[in-house]
Amino acid sequence: MKKIEATIRKSKFSDVKKALHEVGVSFFTYWDVTGLGNEKQGHVYRGVTYSTSDIQRRQLSIVVNDDFEEVTIKAILEAASTGHVGDGKIFVSEVQEAYRIRTGAKGGETLK
């Protein structure tokens, strides 16, 4: 199993969610995060532009079976990309085991 963590623009979240559902990813966790990066986000207040180094993003955490890794990553890449600095990052790591709390089942079947 693989854990895919994606940090994306908040404005692209609904596109990514739709793309994930279209390829069969029906369960994932997400939350709002603040980070630092290469993008310098500008704000305008009363006609004055100022920049801040704090960048608002959305973090997704998705666990999939190994054979579903590429499909999931491709869906995120296509839906989240704007072609500009600040589109985000995807990190993939191994998951040693998964358990379904309700039944106590373990392994890849818990992801279905």
Side-chain angles (χ1 to χ4, degrees):
M1 289 176 284
K2 303 289 186 188
K3 181 177 185 181
I4 300 169
E5 294 179 295
T7 305
I8 63 170
R9 295 176 185 274
K10 282 180 152 183
S11 62
K12 299 299 280 181
F13 177 69
S14 51
D15 294 339
V16 170
K17 183 171 75 170
K18 181 180 177 188
L20 288 171
H21 284 273
E22 286 175 358
V23 297
V25 175
S26 57
F27 178 81
F28 61 90
T29 306
Y30 68 91
W31 56 96
D32 291 333
V33 295
T34 303
L36 302 173
N38 294 328
E39 180 183 18
K40 301 300 179 215
Q41 201 169 28
H43 296 280
V44 178
Y45 178 72
R46 294 188 178 185
V48 177
T49 302
Y50 64 96
S51 66
T52 177
S53 59
D54 295 336
I55 301 169
Q56 302 296 312
R57 292 290 181 260
R58 186 144 292 158
Q59 180 83 30
L60 287 73
S61 179
I62 309 161
V63 178
V64 297
N65 286 316
D66 291 341
D67 60 343
F68 220 66
E69 176 186 358
E70 281 187 46
V71 173
T72 304
I73 292 170
K74 183 178 178 188
I76 296 168
L77 287 171
E78 289 176 359
S81 178
T82 66
H84 300 319
V85 172
D87 278 348
K89 301 265 194 272
I90 298 174
F91 301 99
V92 180
S93 56
E94 285 286 332
V95 173
Q96 292 182 353
E97 194 59 83
Y99 295 87
R100 179 173 284 133
I101 294 172
R102 178 178 51 89
T103 64
K106 72 178 198 173
E109 291 297 312
T110 62
L111 302 177
K112 297 179 181 177

